[in-house]
Amino acid sequence: MRTLFWKVFLILAMSQVCLILVVAVVLKFEYDQRFSEFNLSQNFQPLADFVVKQYENGVDVTGGDFRSRENSLAIFSYAADELIYGRRWGSPENRVSWNFQSEGGQDYQVFVQVPPRSRWLPEVLNTYPMIGAFATVLMFSWLLTFLLTGPIRRLKTHVKSLAEGELDHRLESRLTRRRDEIGALATALDEMSERIQKLLESKQRLLYDVSHELRAPLARMQVAAEMVRAHAEERGEDPTLHERVSYEINSLNAIITQLLQLARNESEGVQLDTSGLREPLREVVEDMQFSWSERDIRLSCTGGLRLYRYQSGILRSAVKNVVENSLKYSPADSPVEILLEESEGQQLIRIRDHGPGIPDDRLESMFQPFTRMQSESIEGFGLGLSIAKRAVETLGGSIMLGNHPEGGLIAEIRLKLQLADDYT
Protein backbone atom coordinates (compact mmCIF):
# COMPACT_ATOMS: atom_id res chain seq x y z
CA MET A 1 0.00 0.00 0.00
CA ARG A 2 2.89 2.34 0.73
CA THR A 3 4.24 1.59 -2.73
CA LEU A 4 0.89 2.49 -4.27
CA PHE A 5 0.74 5.71 -2.26
CA TRP A 6 4.13 6.89 -3.46
CA LYS A 7 3.45 5.82 -7.03
CA VAL A 8 0.25 7.87 -7.12
CA PHE A 9 1.98 10.75 -5.36
CA LEU A 10 4.83 10.85 -7.87
CA ILE A 11 2.45 10.58 -10.81
CA LEU A 12 0.37 13.48 -9.56
CA ALA A 13 3.40 15.65 -8.75
CA MET A 14 5.04 14.99 -12.11
CA SER A 15 1.77 15.57 -13.95
CA GLN A 16 1.39 18.98 -12.29
CA VAL A 17 4.98 19.95 -13.10
CA CYS A 18 4.44 18.85 -16.70
CA LEU A 19 1.21 20.82 -16.80
CA ILE A 20 3.06 23.96 -15.66
CA LEU A 21 5.67 23.46 -18.36
CA VAL A 22 3.02 22.89 -21.03
CA VAL A 23 1.20 26.06 -20.00
CA ALA A 24 4.48 27.98 -20.21
CA VAL A 25 5.16 26.65 -23.70
CA VAL A 26 1.62 27.46 -24.83
CA LEU A 27 1.86 30.99 -23.45
CA LYS A 28 5.17 31.53 -25.23
CA PHE A 29 3.75 30.24 -28.49
CA GLU A 30 0.69 32.45 -28.16
CA TYR A 31 2.89 35.45 -27.38
CA ASP A 32 5.10 34.81 -30.41
CA GLN A 33 2.07 34.41 -32.66
CA ARG A 34 0.20 37.42 -31.38
CA PHE A 35 3.13 39.84 -31.46
CA SER A 36 4.90 38.58 -34.53
CA GLU A 37 6.09 41.09 -37.15
CA PHE A 38 3.53 39.84 -39.62
CA ASN A 39 0.53 40.32 -37.33
CA LEU A 40 1.69 43.71 -36.11
CA SER A 41 2.41 44.96 -39.64
CA GLN A 42 -1.06 43.90 -40.69
CA ASN A 43 -2.61 45.82 -37.80
CA PHE A 44 -0.45 48.97 -37.73
CA GLN A 45 0.62 49.50 -41.35
CA PRO A 46 -2.64 51.24 -42.38
CA LEU A 47 -2.21 53.74 -39.54
CA ALA A 48 1.46 54.25 -40.45
CA ASP A 49 0.53 54.92 -44.11
CA PHE A 50 -2.07 57.43 -43.00
CA VAL A 51 0.33 59.26 -40.66
CA VAL A 52 3.11 59.41 -43.29
CA LYS A 53 0.70 60.64 -45.94
CA GLN A 54 -0.46 63.43 -43.65
CA TYR A 55 3.15 64.23 -42.74
CA GLU A 56 4.21 64.50 -46.38
CA ASN A 57 1.20 66.77 -47.02
CA GLY A 58 2.47 69.17 -44.34
CA VAL A 59 -0.02 68.24 -41.63
CA ASP A 60 1.24 68.31 -38.04
CA VAL A 61 0.99 64.71 -36.89
CA THR A 62 2.43 65.28 -33.42
CA GLY A 63 -0.81 66.31 -31.76
CA GLY A 64 -4.56 65.82 -31.77
CA ASP A 65 -6.01 62.49 -32.82
CA PHE A 66 -2.69 61.45 -34.26
CA ARG A 67 -1.33 61.04 -30.69
CA SER A 68 -4.00 58.54 -29.64
CA ARG A 69 -1.73 55.54 -30.25
CA GLU A 70 1.68 57.08 -29.70
CA ASN A 71 2.33 54.69 -26.83
CA SER A 72 2.21 51.81 -29.28
CA LEU A 73 3.44 53.27 -32.59
CA ALA A 74 6.49 55.32 -33.63
CA ILE A 75 7.63 56.28 -37.15
CA PHE A 76 11.19 57.23 -38.09
CA SER A 77 11.96 59.18 -41.27
CA TYR A 78 15.30 58.36 -42.88
CA ALA A 79 15.15 61.57 -44.92
CA ALA A 80 14.59 63.80 -41.87
CA ASP A 81 16.67 61.48 -39.63
CA GLU A 82 14.20 61.85 -36.76
CA LEU A 83 11.03 60.46 -35.26
CA ILE A 84 8.06 62.11 -36.93
CA TYR A 85 5.56 60.29 -34.78
CA GLY A 86 5.60 58.70 -31.32
CA ARG A 87 8.57 58.42 -28.98
CA ARG A 88 11.62 56.24 -28.48
CA TRP A 89 11.73 53.30 -26.12
CA GLY A 90 14.73 52.24 -24.14
CA SER A 91 14.69 48.46 -24.65
CA PRO A 92 14.72 47.05 -28.19
CA GLU A 93 13.39 43.76 -26.83
CA ASN A 94 9.95 45.30 -26.29
CA ARG A 95 9.38 46.51 -29.82
CA VAL A 96 8.97 45.22 -33.35
CA SER A 97 10.10 47.27 -36.37
CA TRP A 98 9.93 47.11 -40.17
CA ASN A 99 10.77 49.41 -43.10
CA PHE A 100 8.44 50.64 -45.79
CA GLN A 101 8.38 53.22 -48.57
CA SER A 102 5.62 55.80 -48.91
CA GLU A 103 3.78 56.75 -52.07
CA GLY A 104 6.08 59.81 -52.29
CA GLY A 105 9.10 57.50 -52.52
CA GLN A 106 10.53 58.27 -49.06
CA ASP A 107 11.80 55.54 -46.70
CA TYR A 108 10.46 55.13 -43.18
CA GLN A 109 10.84 52.73 -40.31
CA VAL A 110 7.91 51.78 -38.10
CA PHE A 111 8.30 50.78 -34.44
CA VAL A 112 5.50 49.08 -32.53
CA GLN A 113 5.72 48.65 -28.80
CA VAL A 114 4.74 45.20 -27.48
CA PRO A 115 4.15 44.12 -23.89
CA PRO A 116 7.18 42.46 -22.31
CA ARG A 117 7.29 38.70 -22.53
CA SER A 118 6.35 37.06 -19.24
CA ARG A 119 9.40 35.91 -17.34
CA TRP A 120 7.54 34.36 -14.45
CA LEU A 121 8.74 30.84 -15.18
CA PRO A 122 12.48 31.63 -15.14
CA GLU A 123 11.98 33.69 -12.01
CA VAL A 124 10.17 30.88 -10.28
CA LEU A 125 12.90 28.42 -11.21
CA ASN A 126 15.69 30.61 -9.92
CA THR A 127 14.33 32.39 -6.84
CA TYR A 128 12.54 31.75 -3.59
CA PRO A 129 9.09 31.57 -5.21
CA MET A 130 10.28 28.29 -6.72
CA ILE A 131 10.33 26.77 -3.23
CA GLY A 132 6.79 27.93 -2.54
CA ALA A 133 5.52 26.71 -5.90
CA PHE A 134 7.18 23.33 -5.47
CA ALA A 135 5.88 22.98 -1.91
CA THR A 136 2.37 23.82 -3.11
CA VAL A 137 2.58 21.17 -5.82
CA LEU A 138 3.81 18.56 -3.33
CA MET A 139 1.16 19.45 -0.75
CA PHE A 140 -1.63 19.30 -3.30
CA SER A 141 -0.30 16.00 -4.68
CA TRP A 142 0.00 14.50 -1.19
CA LEU A 143 -3.54 15.56 -0.27
CA LEU A 144 -5.01 14.22 -3.50
CA THR A 145 -3.04 10.98 -3.15
CA PHE A 146 -4.26 10.55 0.42
CA LEU A 147 -7.86 11.05 -0.69
CA LEU A 148 -7.42 8.53 -3.52
CA THR A 149 -5.60 5.81 -1.56
CA GLY A 150 -7.45 6.26 1.74
CA PRO A 151 -10.46 4.14 0.68
CA ILE A 152 -8.11 1.50 -0.70
CA ARG A 153 -6.31 1.32 2.65
CA ARG A 154 -9.63 0.80 4.40
CA LEU A 155 -10.56 -1.91 1.90
CA LYS A 156 -7.20 -3.59 2.56
CA THR A 157 -7.83 -3.56 6.32
CA HIS A 158 -11.29 -5.01 5.76
CA VAL A 159 -9.97 -7.81 3.53
CA LYS A 160 -7.37 -8.69 6.19
CA SER A 161 -10.09 -8.89 8.81
CA LEU A 162 -11.99 -11.27 6.51
CA ALA A 163 -8.83 -13.37 6.17
CA GLU A 164 -8.69 -13.57 9.98
CA GLY A 165 -12.22 -14.95 9.98
CA GLU A 166 -14.14 -11.84 11.02
CA LEU A 167 -16.82 -12.47 8.41
CA ASP A 168 -19.43 -10.53 10.38
CA HIS A 169 -17.37 -7.35 9.99
CA ARG A 170 -18.86 -4.84 7.52
CA LEU A 171 -17.42 -1.77 5.83
CA GLU A 172 -18.44 1.67 6.98
CA SER A 173 -21.37 3.23 5.15
CA ARG A 174 -19.29 6.12 3.77
CA LEU A 175 -17.56 3.57 1.53
CA THR A 176 -20.59 1.57 0.44
CA ARG A 177 -22.56 4.77 -0.31
CA ARG A 178 -19.96 6.03 -2.77
CA ARG A 179 -21.26 6.19 -6.32
CA ASP A 180 -18.07 5.11 -8.01
CA GLU A 181 -16.01 1.97 -8.57
CA ILE A 182 -14.68 1.99 -4.99
CA GLY A 183 -18.23 2.10 -3.64
CA ALA A 184 -19.23 -0.77 -5.95
CA LEU A 185 -16.20 -2.78 -4.79
CA ALA A 186 -17.01 -2.12 -1.12
CA THR A 187 -20.60 -3.25 -1.64
CA ALA A 188 -19.43 -6.38 -3.46
CA LEU A 189 -17.01 -7.21 -0.62
CA ASP A 190 -19.77 -6.89 1.96
CA GLU A 191 -22.06 -9.10 -0.09
CA MET A 192 -19.28 -11.64 -0.59
CA SER A 193 -18.38 -11.81 3.11
CA GLU A 194 -22.04 -12.18 4.04
CA ARG A 195 -22.46 -14.98 1.52
CA ILE A 196 -19.32 -16.78 2.70
CA GLN A 197 -20.41 -16.43 6.32
CA LYS A 198 -23.76 -18.03 5.54
CA LEU A 199 -22.11 -20.85 3.60
CA LEU A 200 -19.64 -21.58 6.41
CA GLU A 201 -22.36 -21.51 9.02
CA SER A 202 -24.47 -23.83 6.91
CA LYS A 203 -21.54 -26.20 6.43
CA GLN A 204 -20.74 -26.13 10.14
CA ARG A 205 -24.33 -26.94 11.00
CA LEU A 206 -24.21 -29.78 8.49
CA LEU A 207 -21.07 -31.16 10.15
CA TYR A 208 -22.73 -31.12 13.56
CA ASP A 209 -25.89 -32.71 12.19
CA VAL A 210 -23.94 -35.42 10.40
CA SER A 211 -21.88 -36.08 13.52
CA HIS A 212 -24.98 -36.43 15.64
CA GLU A 213 -27.03 -38.43 13.15
CA LEU A 214 -24.24 -40.90 12.39
CA ARG A 215 -22.59 -41.31 15.74
CA ALA A 216 -25.76 -41.80 17.75
CA PRO A 217 -26.82 -44.92 15.77
CA LEU A 218 -23.25 -46.17 15.83
CA ALA A 219 -23.14 -45.82 19.61
CA ARG A 220 -26.40 -47.78 19.91
CA MET A 221 -25.06 -50.42 17.55
CA GLN A 222 -21.88 -50.67 19.63
CA VAL A 223 -23.89 -51.13 22.84
CA ALA A 224 -26.13 -53.70 21.16
CA ALA A 225 -23.12 -55.57 19.80
CA GLU A 226 -21.51 -55.71 23.23
CA MET A 227 -24.74 -56.97 24.77
CA VAL A 228 -25.09 -59.67 22.12
CA ARG A 229 -21.47 -60.72 22.61
CA ALA A 230 -21.96 -60.85 26.38
CA HIS A 231 -25.02 -63.12 25.94
CA ALA A 232 -23.09 -65.29 23.53
CA GLU A 233 -20.25 -65.70 26.02
CA GLU A 234 -22.73 -66.62 28.75
CA ARG A 235 -24.14 -69.33 26.53
CA GLY A 236 -20.65 -70.54 25.67
CA GLU A 237 -20.91 -69.57 21.99
CA ASP A 238 -17.95 -68.53 19.84
CA PRO A 239 -17.61 -64.68 20.14
CA THR A 240 -15.51 -64.31 16.98
CA LEU A 241 -18.39 -63.13 14.81
CA HIS A 242 -19.56 -60.70 17.46
CA GLU A 243 -16.04 -59.33 17.82
CA ARG A 244 -15.95 -58.86 14.07
CA VAL A 245 -19.16 -56.82 14.23
CA SER A 246 -17.69 -54.63 16.99
CA TYR A 247 -14.50 -54.21 14.98
CA GLU A 248 -16.43 -53.06 11.89
CA ILE A 249 -18.49 -50.62 13.98
CA ASN A 250 -15.29 -49.15 15.46
CA SER A 251 -13.80 -48.91 11.98
CA LEU A 252 -16.87 -47.09 10.70
CA ASN A 253 -16.72 -44.73 13.66
CA ALA A 254 -13.04 -44.01 12.93
CA ILE A 255 -13.83 -43.30 9.27
CA ILE A 256 -16.54 -40.84 10.26
CA THR A 257 -14.14 -39.15 12.69
CA GLN A 258 -11.51 -38.67 9.99
CA LEU A 259 -14.06 -37.47 7.45
CA LEU A 260 -15.30 -34.87 9.91
CA GLN A 261 -11.74 -33.79 10.58
CA LEU A 262 -11.11 -33.53 6.82
CA ALA A 263 -14.15 -31.29 6.35
CA ARG A 264 -13.41 -29.32 9.53
CA ASN A 265 -9.94 -28.41 8.26
CA GLU A 266 -11.56 -26.77 5.24
CA SER A 267 -14.00 -24.72 7.29
CA GLU A 268 -11.66 -23.83 10.16
CA GLY A 269 -9.04 -21.17 10.05
CA VAL A 270 -11.14 -18.47 11.59
CA GLN A 271 -8.88 -18.20 14.64
CA LEU A 272 -5.31 -17.11 14.05
CA ASP A 273 -2.64 -17.77 16.65
CA THR A 274 0.57 -15.86 17.26
CA SER A 275 2.99 -18.72 17.64
CA GLY A 276 6.23 -20.21 16.41
CA LEU A 277 6.46 -23.52 14.59
CA ARG A 278 8.56 -25.39 17.12
CA GLU A 279 5.98 -25.60 19.90
CA PRO A 280 3.21 -27.20 17.76
CA LEU A 281 5.74 -29.73 16.44
CA ARG A 282 6.86 -30.59 19.97
CA GLU A 283 3.22 -31.11 20.95
CA VAL A 284 2.77 -33.49 18.01
CA VAL A 285 5.89 -35.42 19.03
CA GLU A 286 4.67 -35.69 22.65
CA ASP A 287 1.21 -36.85 21.57
CA MET A 288 2.56 -39.43 19.15
CA GLN A 289 5.18 -40.58 21.66
CA PHE A 290 2.39 -41.24 24.15
CA SER A 291 0.51 -43.42 21.64
CA TRP A 292 3.64 -45.01 20.18
CA SER A 293 5.80 -45.20 23.27
CA GLU A 294 8.07 -47.84 21.80
CA ARG A 295 8.97 -45.73 18.76
CA ASP A 296 11.76 -43.20 18.30
CA ILE A 297 10.45 -39.83 17.05
CA ARG A 298 13.12 -37.18 16.57
CA LEU A 299 12.63 -33.43 16.13
CA SER A 300 15.38 -31.03 15.06
CA CYS A 301 15.09 -27.33 14.21
CA THR A 302 17.36 -24.95 12.31
CA GLY A 303 17.13 -21.23 11.71
CA GLY A 304 16.08 -18.40 13.95
CA LEU A 305 13.10 -18.53 16.26
CA ARG A 306 10.26 -16.58 14.66
CA LEU A 307 6.62 -15.87 15.51
CA TYR A 308 3.90 -16.15 12.88
CA ARG A 309 0.19 -15.52 12.55
CA TYR A 310 -1.46 -18.77 11.49
CA GLN A 311 -3.76 -21.60 12.57
CA SER A 312 -1.52 -23.74 14.73
CA GLY A 313 -4.24 -26.37 15.25
CA ILE A 314 -4.43 -27.05 11.52
CA LEU A 315 -0.64 -27.38 11.33
CA ARG A 316 -0.68 -29.90 14.17
CA SER A 317 -3.36 -31.88 12.34
CA ALA A 318 -1.30 -31.96 9.15
CA VAL A 319 1.97 -32.99 10.80
CA LYS A 320 0.26 -35.50 13.08
CA ASN A 321 -1.35 -37.35 10.16
CA VAL A 322 1.92 -37.49 8.23
CA VAL A 323 3.88 -38.70 11.28
CA GLU A 324 1.22 -41.31 12.08
CA ASN A 325 1.39 -42.54 8.49
CA SER A 326 5.19 -42.81 8.78
CA LEU A 327 4.94 -44.73 12.04
CA LYS A 328 2.52 -47.23 10.50
CA TYR A 329 4.57 -47.98 7.40
CA SER A 330 8.11 -48.05 8.82
CA PRO A 331 9.89 -50.73 10.86
CA ALA A 332 9.35 -50.65 14.61
CA ASP A 333 13.07 -50.28 15.31
CA SER A 334 13.58 -47.33 12.92
CA PRO A 335 13.18 -43.65 13.82
CA VAL A 336 10.84 -41.07 12.32
CA GLU A 337 12.68 -37.80 11.80
CA ILE A 338 11.09 -34.35 11.76
CA LEU A 339 13.24 -31.45 10.58
CA LEU A 340 12.14 -27.79 10.73
CA GLU A 341 14.02 -25.22 8.64
CA GLU A 342 13.03 -21.56 8.99
CA SER A 343 14.40 -19.04 6.54
CA GLU A 344 13.43 -15.61 5.25
CA GLY A 345 10.00 -15.86 3.62
CA GLN A 346 9.68 -19.66 3.80
CA GLN A 347 9.29 -22.46 6.32
CA LEU A 348 10.07 -26.10 5.51
CA ILE A 349 9.06 -29.17 7.53
CA ARG A 350 10.58 -32.50 6.44
CA ILE A 351 9.22 -35.77 7.82
CA ARG A 352 11.20 -38.89 6.95
CA ASP A 353 10.71 -42.52 7.81
CA HIS A 354 12.82 -45.60 7.01
CA GLY A 355 10.09 -47.75 5.54
CA PRO A 356 9.71 -49.26 2.06
CA GLY A 357 8.66 -45.98 0.46
CA ILE A 358 6.08 -45.59 -2.31
CA PRO A 359 6.48 -46.27 -6.05
CA ASP A 360 7.18 -43.03 -7.89
CA ASP A 361 4.12 -43.39 -10.11
CA ARG A 362 1.86 -43.52 -7.05
CA LEU A 363 3.26 -40.66 -5.02
CA GLU A 364 0.76 -38.04 -6.23
CA SER A 365 -2.26 -40.33 -5.96
CA MET A 366 -1.57 -41.00 -2.27
CA PHE A 367 -3.19 -37.66 -1.42
CA GLN A 368 -6.54 -38.85 -2.76
CA PRO A 369 -9.06 -39.92 -0.08
CA PHE A 370 -9.23 -43.66 0.62
CA THR A 371 -5.98 -44.33 -1.23
CA ARG A 372 -3.49 -46.49 0.66
CA MET A 373 -0.76 -49.06 0.16
CA GLN A 374 -2.06 -52.61 0.20
CA SER A 375 -1.10 -54.14 3.50
CA GLU A 376 -3.33 -56.44 5.49
CA SER A 377 -1.21 -56.03 8.62
CA ILE A 378 -1.59 -52.24 8.79
CA GLU A 379 -4.88 -50.69 9.80
CA GLY A 380 -6.06 -47.54 8.09
CA PHE A 381 -8.51 -46.03 5.65
CA GLY A 382 -6.30 -43.95 3.36
CA LEU A 383 -7.40 -40.60 4.75
CA GLY A 384 -4.33 -39.44 6.68
CA LEU A 385 -2.37 -37.92 3.81
CA SER A 386 -5.54 -36.44 2.31
CA ILE A 387 -6.28 -34.71 5.62
CA ALA A 388 -2.69 -33.45 5.77
CA LYS A 389 -2.85 -32.06 2.23
CA ARG A 390 -6.10 -30.20 2.87
CA ALA A 391 -4.73 -28.80 6.13
CA VAL A 392 -1.49 -27.58 4.53
CA GLU A 393 -3.39 -25.96 1.66
CA THR A 394 -5.60 -24.21 4.20
CA LEU A 395 -2.42 -22.63 5.57
CA GLY A 396 -1.48 -21.49 2.08
CA GLY A 397 1.32 -24.04 1.72
CA SER A 398 2.06 -27.19 -0.24
CA ILE A 399 3.05 -30.77 0.56
CA MET A 400 5.03 -33.20 -1.57
CA LEU A 401 6.03 -36.83 -1.19
CA GLY A 402 9.28 -38.36 -2.37
CA ASN A 403 11.48 -41.37 -1.84
CA HIS A 404 14.71 -40.72 0.02
CA PRO A 405 17.86 -41.84 -1.84
CA GLU A 406 18.89 -43.92 1.20
CA GLY A 407 15.47 -45.48 1.60
CA GLY A 408 12.21 -44.48 3.18
CA LEU A 409 9.55 -41.90 2.41
CA ILE A 410 10.07 -38.16 2.89
CA ALA A 411 7.24 -35.62 3.10
CA GLU A 412 8.05 -31.94 2.58
CA ILE A 413 5.64 -29.29 3.86
CA ARG A 414 6.45 -25.84 2.50
CA LEU A 415 4.80 -22.83 4.10
CA LYS A 416 4.99 -19.09 3.54
CA LEU A 417 3.59 -17.80 6.80
CA GLN A 418 3.58 -14.10 7.53
CA LEU A 419 5.61 -12.89 10.45
CA ALA A 420 3.55 -11.62 13.36
CA ASP A 421 5.42 -8.30 13.29
CA ASP A 422 4.45 -7.75 9.63
CA TYR A 423 0.80 -8.65 10.12
CA THR A 424 -0.59 -5.09 10.27
Side-chain angles (χ1 to χ4, degrees), residues 119-260:
R119 290 173 171 258
W120 62 272
L121 186 59
E123 291 175 357
V124 166
L125 295 179
N126 292 281
T127 57
Y128 287 109
M130 178 270 291
I131 301 176
F134 189 67
T136 302
V137 168
L138 292 181
M139 184 178 299
F140 178 77
S141 300
W142 184 89
L143 179 60
L144 189 57
T145 303
F146 182 81
L147 294 176
L148 289 175
T149 59
I152 301 178
R153 288 196 300 271
R154 291 194 291 272
L155 289 176
K156 173 190 173 183
T157 303
H158 177 69
V159 171
K160 280 199 169 184
S161 67
L162 295 181
E164 293 181 7
E166 300 178 9
L167 297 176
D168 56 345
H169 181 67
R170 296 293 179 266
L171 287 164
E172 58 264 31
S173 58
R174 61 175 175 172
L175 278 179
T176 56
R177 285 202 305 261
R178 291 173 62 112
R179 297 184 179 181
D180 54 11
E181 287 77 5
I182 293 179
L185 177 60
T187 302
L189 282 175
D190 272 354
E191 293 176 353
M192 178 194 70
S193 59
E194 183 178 0
R195 176 64 175 167
I196 292 176
Q197 183 182 17
K198 291 181 179 179
L199 288 175
L200 290 178
E201 291 176 352
S202 176
K203 187 175 182 179
Q204 197 67 29
R205 286 196 300 269
L206 178 62
L207 286 174
Y208 294 146
D209 292 342
V210 168
S211 176
H212 175 75
E213 294 298 329
L214 290 180
R215 288 192 169 176
L218 283 175
R220 291 192 294 268
M221 290 173 62
Q222 183 66 44
V223 173
E226 292 295 330
M227 294 176 62
V228 171
R229 188 182 69 168
H231 288 302
E233 290 176 348
E234 290 176 359
R235 293 192 298 268
E237 299 177 357
D238 185 7
T240 303
L241 183 60
H242 302 288
E243 292 175 353
R244 182 65 182 179
V245 171
S246 297
Y247 172 79
E248 295 298 338
I249 292 175
N250 290 332
S251 298
L252 183 59
N253 188 48
I255 292 175
I256 293 173
T257 300
Q258 287 190 315
L259 286 174
L260 289 175

Side-chain angles (χ1 to χ4, degrees), residues 45-58 61 66 75-76 84 100-104 106 108 110:
Q45 188 60 48
L47 177 59
D49 290 338
F50 175 75
V51 171
V52 168
K53 185 177 181 180
Q54 296 297 320
Y55 170 75
E56 291 180 351
N57 290 334
V61 296
F66 293 102
I75 302 174
F76 178 81
I84 64 171
F100 77 98
Q101 192 175 62
S102 67
E103 295 179 359
Q106 304 219 9
Y108 296 90
V110 178

Side-chain angles (χ1 to χ4, degrees), residues 25-50:
V25 172
V26 170
L27 291 176
K28 180 181 180 301
F29 178 78
E30 182 183 1
Y31 177 90
D32 292 341
Q33 287 293 104
R34 181 177 178 184
F35 299 108
S36 65
E37 181 179 337
F38 175 78
N39 286 335
L40 291 174
S41 63
Q42 292 291 321
N43 293 331
F44 284 88
Q45 188 60 48
L47 177 59
D49 290 338
F50 175 75

Side-chain angles (χ1 to χ4, degrees), residues 288 292 294-298 321-338 351-358 372-373 375 377-379 403-404 406-410:
M288 301 307 296
W292 302 73
E294 74 284 358
R295 298 298 300 271
D296 181 14
I297 306 175
R298 304 173 183 175
N321 278 280
V322 176
V323 172
E324 187 174 15
N325 190 77
S326 297
L327 291 171
K328 288 180 180 178
Y329 289 92
S330 61
D333 58 349
S334 64
V336 172
E337 303 164 356
I338 306 174
I351 303 170
R352 183 201 170 188
D353 60 44
H354 295 265
I358 299 175
R372 60 191 298 265
M373 300 296 294
S375 177
S377 61
I378 299 177
E379 298 181 358
N403 292 301
H404 197 276
E406 299 178 1
L409 185 70
I410 183 169

